[in-house]
């Protein structure tokens, strides 16, 4: 079996790279430039059905959706390491936070990045930026409240849910609005995640 990740710096492929490292799997990295013209090219579209990263291959099988891929890897190749079983008492919380990182906060933080970094300044709209800040802040207030008395989002143990949330928080950081959006517990939580060797490797590449 060959696990191959098409990885582009600063994008959601970091989640998959980070999980591959944390799970101790063998894998190949295929570097992809962050180039929106390339993402729309027929060559890239032949690999990526919606023109996005990550794209991941397990042998011949192609998968997209970063959170689905990290869950797949843990279940299929790491005996559920960093995941939870339906019989675990925190199974519901695990699934909630695993998906909140992309489905919950993801759309708002993506809009925030569009309005602070991705779009050329002449295409940015201040009301959209303010809306994205308010909605991201609303999601991050839930994270802040839920981190009370905890090292990681489920408690004392790091899990895939932290990988999912950690990438969303990274986008808040690089938007330049972190001071305005993240509470003190969430800032410390992100620093704890960012100190992990696997994060350092995945986010540096
Ligand atoms: N929900 C998808 C989102 C994928 C996505 O939006 N990727 C961004 C980078 S983080 C992308 O490829 N953007 C390129 C573009 O929109 O042109 C996932 O989690 O994998």
């Amino acid at each position: 079996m060959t696990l191959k990740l098409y990885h582009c710096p600063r994008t959601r492929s970091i989640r998959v790279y980070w999980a591959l490292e944390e799970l101790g799997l063998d894998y190949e990295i295929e570097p992809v430039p962050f180039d929106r013209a390339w993402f729309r090219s027929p060559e890239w579209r032949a690999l990526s059905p919606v023109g996005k990263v990550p794209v991941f291959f397990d042998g011949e099988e192609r998968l997209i959706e970063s959170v689905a891929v990290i869950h797949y890897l843990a279940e299929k190749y790491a005996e559920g390491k960093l995941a939870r079983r339906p019989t675990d008492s925190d199974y519901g919380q695990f699934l909630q936070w695993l998906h909140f990182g992309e489905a919950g906060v993801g759309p708002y933080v993506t809009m925030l990045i569009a309005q602070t970094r991705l779009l050329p300044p002449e295409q940015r709209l201040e009301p959209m930026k303010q809306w994205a800040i308010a909605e991201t802040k609303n999601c991050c207030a839930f994270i802040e409240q839920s981190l009370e008395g905890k090292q990681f989002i489920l408690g004392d143990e790091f899990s895939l849910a932290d990988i999912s949330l950690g990438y969303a928080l990274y986008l808040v950081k690089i938007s330049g609005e972190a001071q305005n959006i993240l509470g003190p517990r969430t800032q410390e939580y992100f620093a704890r995640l960012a100190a992990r060797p696997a994060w350092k490797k995945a986010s540096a590449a």
Side-chain angles (χ1 to χ4, degrees):
M1 142 302 267
T2 302
L3 303 177
K4 183 168 173 178
L5 172 65
Y6 286 78
H7 170 64
C8 176
R10 296 190 303 282
T11 71
R12 283 158 172 84
S13 59
I14 289 178
R15 282 195 182 114
V16 180
Y17 201 158
W18 187 5
L20 285 162
E21 277 291 308
E22 295 275 6
L23 295 171
L25 301 175
D26 289 329
Y27 59 87
E28 287 175 14
I29 295 289
E30 192 69 43
V32 179
F34 195 100
D35 175 347
R36 301 195 85 203
W38 167 248
F39 289 148
R40 283 187 220 100
S41 69
E43 293 92 328
W44 179 245
R45 286 277 173 154
L47 275 173
S48 172
V50 289
K52 309 273 183 201
V53 270
V55 173
F56 179 79
F57 281 87
D58 178 354
E60 295 295 307
E61 185 179 11
R62 177 184 62 197
L63 294 172
I64 60 169
E65 287 303 328
S66 58
V67 172
V69 175
I70 65 175
H71 203 184
Y72 172 90
L73 288 172
E75 294 292 355
K76 187 157 183 190
Y77 292 115
E79 297 173 336
K81 184 180 171 188
L82 305 182
R84 293 292 184 275
R85 305 252 71 83
T87 46
D88 290 332
S89 59
D90 55 358
Y91 180 64
Q93 292 297 304
F94 168 71
L95 287 180
Q96 172 190 286
W97 289 115
L98 182 68
H99 292 286
F100 191 74
E102 182 61 15
V105 68
Y108 305 121
V109 80
T110 300
M111 187 59 70
L112 179 64
I113 286 291
Q115 295 297 331
T116 53
R117 287 181 65 121
L118 273 188
L119 290 172
E122 68 280 6
Q123 289 179 20
R124 295 179 195 167
L125 297 168
E126 189 58 25
M128 287 302 287
K129 179 181 167 186
Q130 292 309 322
W131 175 81
I133 288 174
E135 294 291 348
T136 307
K137 209 167 170 171
N138 179 46
C139 290
C140 290
F142 179 39
I143 299 173
E144 176 75 8
Q145 174 200 328
S146 305
L147 281 169
E148 189 174 357
K150 294 181 195 161
Q151 295 281 304
F152 299 105
I153 200 65
L154 297 182
D156 291 335
E157 271 181 50
F158 177 80
S159 72
L160 295 181
D162 298 301
I163 293 182
S164 178
L165 288 177
Y167 178 75
L169 297 177
Y170 166 74
L171 289 182
V172 176
K173 286 282 204 187
I174 65 174
S175 77
E177 296 290 335
Q179 288 306 325
N180 182 16
I181 292 176
L182 303 181
R185 282 195 284 267
T186 312
Q187 296 267 15
E188 281 175 28
Y189 168 62
F190 182 75
R192 205 171 293 125
L193 298 180
R196 297 180 76 84
W199 163 269
K200 287 187 183 159
K201 183 165 179 182
S203 63

